Every structure is written in C-alpha cells, then in structure tokens.
Amino acid sequence: MLKFALPLHLTLRSFAWGLSCVVVGAGAYADKPAAPPVWTLGDPHLDVVPRTPQEAKRISDVTAMPTDFSVPHRFEEKSAGAATVRVANSADAFSRPSGNITFEDELNFKVGNGLFRKLWVSAPASTLASDGLGPLYNARSCQRCHIKDGRGHPPEQDDDNAISIFLRVSIPASATAIDTVKAAEIAGYIATAPDPTYGSQLQDFAVQGHASEYRLDVQYTERAIALAGGATASLRHPEYKAADLGYGPLHRDAMLSPRVAPQMIGLGLLEAIPAADILAQADPDDADGDGISGRPNVVWSVEFDRPMLGRFGLKAGSPTVKEQSAAAFAGDIGISSPLFPAGAGECTDAQTACQTAVHGDGDNRGTEIDAEGLELVSFYSRNLGVPARRDVGGVDVLRGKQVFHATGCAACHTPSFVTHRLRDQPEQSFQLIWPYTDMLLHDMGPDLADNRPEARATGREWRTPPLWGIGLTQQVSGHSYFLHDGRARSLLEAVLWHGGEAQTQRDAVVDMSIADRAALIAFLESL
C-alpha cells in the first residue's frame, strides 16, 4: 500500500520559471497569466525518511563526477545498488526480481508477473477474472508489448505486425471544449486533447464484431553520414502513416507520435530518486552556458489529484509506476482499473458500438483489473532487477567512459543518484544507482521531433532515457533498435540522431577517431 509523506517544499516559482505560461504552438494558454502555484513538487507517493546533513554530504561525495579514468568508479559495477542482479546468459536477463527482495515479496513479484503476462479475453467469458479485453486494443497482455521486459521494435517487414509500437494522437485543446482547468494550474502546460474520434492512441486490434482503428504504415529512406577516419554510417528516416482508418478521418489538426515499448528494468528505483535531486539539475534558461537546458515535465496525477513531477514515458508524461501501469492497461489492452475505470478503455463517444459493448467489469471486481491486481502489477514493474555492469575495468571500456565524459554526454545522462530512504520499500531504499539519466526533458532537434506536445514537453523535447541495461538489448529483445520509435539500428546510429541540445556532442562523435568511437560504444555496451 502506498503511503503519504509531507512533500518537499520545492515550487516551480522557486526556479523562477515565471507566472505566465510558455507559449509553444497551438493549444498553449497564450496571454493568460498563471496563478501563483499553490502546490509543491515533492514525492507524495513515497513514505520518506528525511536525509540528515551527514547523509547529504556522503551522497554528494559518492555521486560526484569521476576524475580518474584509469580504474572503475567505486561501486559502479552495481548498477542498482543492493537491488542489482547477476547477468543471466539468456533472454530473461531483464525478468529477475530485485536482488535484495525478501522471500515473501518474491511471491508477490511472481503473482504480479503472472498478471503482467496474462492474456485477456473479450467479455462475456467463462473466465470472469480475465475478461474485458478491448474492445479496441494494441495487445492482449503487458508482456506482448514489453517482450521479455525489454524494448519493442517497429515492423521489420510487410508481414510483421506492429504489436510493440503504436501511434499516440492528440489535437490542440483550443480546438475543443474540453475542460483543462486542472492542467491550467501548471505553468507552461501545453493544452491538448484526445482526437474526438480516435482518442489518445490508435489501436490496431479489435475483438470480434468491432473494427480496428488503423494499420501502422512505416516507410524509410536512407541517408549516409561521413565519419572521421574514413568510416561511414547510414541513418534511416521514417515516415509514419495511419492507414486503413476504421472510423473515418482523423481530426484535421491531429498530431501523431510513434512510440516503441521501452525496457522495464529499474522503474522503482527511478521512482525513488528524490524530486529535489532531479529538479536541482534543471537549467531551463541555460544559466551555465553549456548549451544544455534540461526542464522537468510536470503532469496532473490522476492518482493523487495534483500536479507532480513527470518521470515515466518517453516524454515523462506519467508521475508514478502505478499510474503508468493503469494508463497502459486502459490504452493498450482496454482494461479498466480503479484509476481509469471506463470499461470501454480508450473508446471515444464517437465509437458507439465500443461504448455499448459488453465489458468485463460487471462482477465483484468492480473494474476489469481490481485494486489488488493493479498493486501487484505495479510491484512487479517496480522490482524488475537491473543487471550488473560487465567488464567495468576493461581498457576499452575505461577509455570509452573517459570519452563519454569528455564529450559532454554526462550533462544529460547523469551517471548516478542515491534514492530516498523509504520506510515501506526496502528494495528501493537508500540505494546508490547508476541509471545514466537526469529524468529531464531536452530539445533533441528537428530530426527527432514528433511535433506533438505532452504536458509541458514540447514537440521537440524528450526525456533523457536511462542507459542501464542498454548493452543487453540484443540478448533480451533479439534486436538492437533504439530511440523512441526504433529507427536507430545500433548505438552509433542512436548517437548520430542526436540534435538540438546534443548537437555539439553528436558532432564530436562524428569528428573523433575511429578508436575513440569504438571505445565509446564499448562503454555503452557495458552498461
């Protein structure tokens, strides 16, 4: 059970972000002064023991950037602290529980895993505990998108389904009469609304008797990149189309964004990073002049009915593991929960057959997945263990680590944090972790832009993705596709797609020697 604690008194105003909303494209609250914030950005989802001054000093020392690259940094082989797990030599490397989990909680983890893997069926069915699928959906289980708890991929050929990628969709809120008064409390919030016909994501499957919403069509064009030392690389530029629309045209102002399912490891540890530590790295006006302007996303929490720091999702659009899980049940599978109780899932009022269909919430569960089931899935997601680093003392890895820092990659991919000391989550409590993310939004330039805002994130901004486990992608997922839509086919391609705030770092990689590029990739593959 989640418990409440007094939040940290850190307001948006304390970071001098102004009282007027930032205007970014259609749908922003233009020319409307924002009321002074009456809320704080803390961690109400966690039962926190405050840090002592002595602990704060120890944390500052242990998370300081390295200066000696001749030997591994102290403790860095333990990516998740005591929660780290040994590397399994199989595709199950991301599917093990936290290394410090208790025997009793390992049972809860396994039950949560069963619910995560469960195939839902359409209602009515004799298996009352498993009915309620759809009627429109992207997958029949969580595991079908997050295969082996790893990352998804775009379709690889014409006959490959798009089960681990979908299109998000929204329109500017100014084009609708939707009530966004709560979101208006968040300075800089960019108001959007679901497409009036298709909702907030497109589902490419439907139960019998219903039409699916679309078919994802992806076309690529290749562009060669010359690298120093006579090497070359090629980037594939994707074009996405929502083909074979089942319910008429999209809204004329519809904004589409492709999303590949991300890996699941370490989510509970990311949730346990103090908001204060994340906010302390924000530099929205680039006051230090390094070209990096990380900004926190701030979202309205359905779970807590208040603004919170966004942490999860490719644009940090969700504040907690539980809320992210419930939203995925609703949007991806069409399963209702106490946080999102609509039996029709993502169906809109315009989809009358979906709204009037039989749903699976008519028994004593109340919703298609009940509160206990949602808690178990959240516990499972929170406790998927992070594998230990490999070859941390290797000559190429240490050289690559030095290149990583010298190039400025650590300005966004912050190596380490220490999590909150927590009363009721021992697995995540007071751990030195190495996720290589600042959890902030960054402008990644026009080539990676989806031109679709999400809360305070603009159409060019993405949350810095954690890098831990990235070297095991091929082993776990059977591919090496990266970025929000899987367009990059290697770690080098992923780096070469960087632009905007990371343009300088990207250009440095293009211009560096072949040996240094190889060392940088060796370091990333060790994470």
Side-chain angles (χ1 to χ4, degrees):
M1 181 68 67
L2 294 174
K3 300 178 182 178
F4 290 87
L6 290 175
L8 297 168
H9 293 288
L10 290 163
T11 67
L12 288 178
R13 184 166 46 184
S14 69
F15 285 89
W17 292 339
L19 297 180
S20 60
C21 293
V22 179
V23 179
V24 190
Y29 287 101
D31 303 320
K32 178 182 178 182
V38 294
W39 42 269
T40 57
L41 276 185
D43 301 306
H45 56 301
L46 300 172
D47 190 358
V48 174
V49 179
R51 291 174 176 174
T52 66
Q54 293 79 10
E55 286 177 338
K57 176 63 168 62
R58 287 169 52 205
I59 290 167
S60 177
D61 290 343
V62 79
T63 58
M65 292 291 182
T67 56
D68 181 2
F69 296 96
S70 64
V71 293
H73 206 76
R74 192 179 181 195
F75 306 123
E76 71 174 317
E77 73 281 1
K78 293 283 191 179
S79 298
T84 306
V85 299
R86 288 186 296 176
V87 180
N89 189 27
S90 70
D92 294 320
F94 288 175
S95 299
R96 301 171 68 188
S98 300
N100 55 351
I101 199 168
T102 66
F103 177 80
E104 294 79 5
D105 278 340
E106 188 169 355
L107 177 59
N108 290 330
F109 178 89
K110 290 178 178 178
V111 175
N113 183 23
L115 291 170
F116 191 85
R117 297 166 61 92
K118 180 168 74 168
L119 294 175
W120 294 84
V121 298
S122 58
S126 58
T127 53
L128 293 179
S130 298
D131 71 357
L133 175 69
L136 306 177
Y137 62 97
N138 295 107
R140 289 182 58 198
S141 73
C142 308
Q143 182 79 9
R144 288 288 182 95
C145 286
H146 301 279
I147 302 167
K148 293 290 185 180
D149 305 296
R151 63 182 77 232
H153 63 86
E156 295 185 281
Q157 60 272 335
D158 291 341
D159 60 347
D160 185 20
N161 65 51
I163 201 166
S164 56
I165 182 173
F166 63 81
L167 293 176
R168 288 215 183 277
V169 58
S170 57
I171 64 173
S174 58
T176 74
I178 192 168
D179 179 11
T180 53
V181 65
K182 290 183 176 180
E185 295 184 26
I186 301 174
Y189 190 92
I190 307 169
T192 61
D195 181 274
T197 300
Y198 289 93
S200 59
Q201 74 185 60
L202 293 171
Q203 284 88 18
D204 50 355
F205 292 99
V207 302
Q208 187 173 6
H210 296 262
S212 62
E213 290 187 322
Y214 84 123
R215 175 180 58 82
L216 178 62
D217 181 38
V218 189
Q219 301 294 326
Y220 296 101
T221 56
E222 295 281 344
R223 176 166 63 94
I225 304 293
L227 307 175
T232 60
S234 182
L235 302 183
R236 57 176 187 174
H237 287 248
E239 291 187 13
Y240 298 95
K241 180 182 178 182
D244 302 336
L245 290 167
Y247 297 86
L250 289 158
H251 190 280
R252 64 181 180 276
D253 296 324
M255 301 173 286
L256 301 176
S257 178
R259 303 293 176 89
V260 162
Q263 65 185 28
M264 296 285 293
I265 57 173
L267 298 184
L269 294 163
L270 297 176
E271 186 178 48
I273 298 172
D277 291 355
I278 296 171
L279 294 172
Q281 299 190 89
D283 185 17
D285 299 319
D286 191 21
D288 60 8
D290 67 352
I292 307 298
S293 305
R295 302 191 312 124
N297 205 352
V298 181
V299 301
W300 191 271
S301 171
V302 174
E303 184 179 359
F304 294 98
D305 195 32
R306 52 161 284 175
M308 287 181 63
L309 176 67
R311 297 175 186 253
F312 302 107
L314 293 162
K315 290 195 179 227
S318 189
T320 67
V321 171
K322 182 178 178 180
E323 191 160 329
Q324 175 80 349
S325 300
F329 268 116
D332 300 349
I333 316 178
I335 295 298
S336 62
S337 70
L339 292 186
F340 299 98
E346 258 276 301
C347 296
T348 66
D349 291 341
Q351 295 167 323
T352 54
C354 179
Q355 289 286 351
T356 58
V358 177
H359 303 299
D361 53 4
D363 54 59
N364 59 9
R365 286 174 294 168
T367 52
E368 290 159 340
I369 186 166
D370 60 15
E372 183 180 9
L374 182 60
E375 286 286 357
L376 286 164
V377 171
S378 301
F379 183 84
Y380 170 78
S381 301
R382 197 177 288 123
N383 279 286
L384 282 163
V386 180
R389 287 275 308 277
R390 283 85 54 212
D391 197 24
V392 293
V395 174
D396 288 344
V397 170
L398 288 173
R399 174 58 185 160
K401 178 182 173 183
Q402 185 174 17
V403 171
F404 181 87
H405 283 268
T407 305
C409 303
C412 297
H413 291 283
T414 303
S416 60
F417 291 92
V418 172
T419 60
H420 272 304
R421 192 183 291 280
L422 302 171
R423 292 186 178 91
D424 57 355
Q425 291 179 222
E427 300 86 2
Q428 288 81 45
S429 181
F430 211 59
Q431 299 299 322
L432 171 62
I433 63 173
W434 302 79
Y436 286 87
T437 173
D438 60 7
M439 303 291 282
L440 297 173
L441 300 171
H442 294 276
D443 182 336
M444 296 302 293
D447 285 345
L448 282 181
D450 66 349
N451 301 309
R452 177 185 176 272
E454 186 172 337
R456 298 182 72 246
T458 72
R460 290 167 55 116
E461 288 181 314
W462 300 94
R463 184 203 65 166
T464 305
L467 297 182
W468 52 12
I470 199 167
L472 295 171
T473 300
Q474 179 68 49
Q475 176 180 318
V476 171
S477 300
H479 64 75
S480 56
Y481 299 147
F482 303 104
L483 300 179
H484 66 280
D485 56 359
R487 68 178 68 186
R489 295 161 293 190
S490 68
L491 289 172
L492 177 59
E493 284 189 27
V495 172
L496 295 177
W497 273 108
H498 284 48
E501 295 176 41
Q503 186 69 43
T504 299
Q505 288 72 28
R506 177 264 184 200
D507 292 346
V509 173
V510 170
D511 294 337
M512 68 179 51
S513 68
I514 291 177
D516 280 353
R517 270 198 305 273
L520 176 63
I521 298 303
F523 168 69
L524 295 175
E525 289 178 341
S526 78
L527 296 178

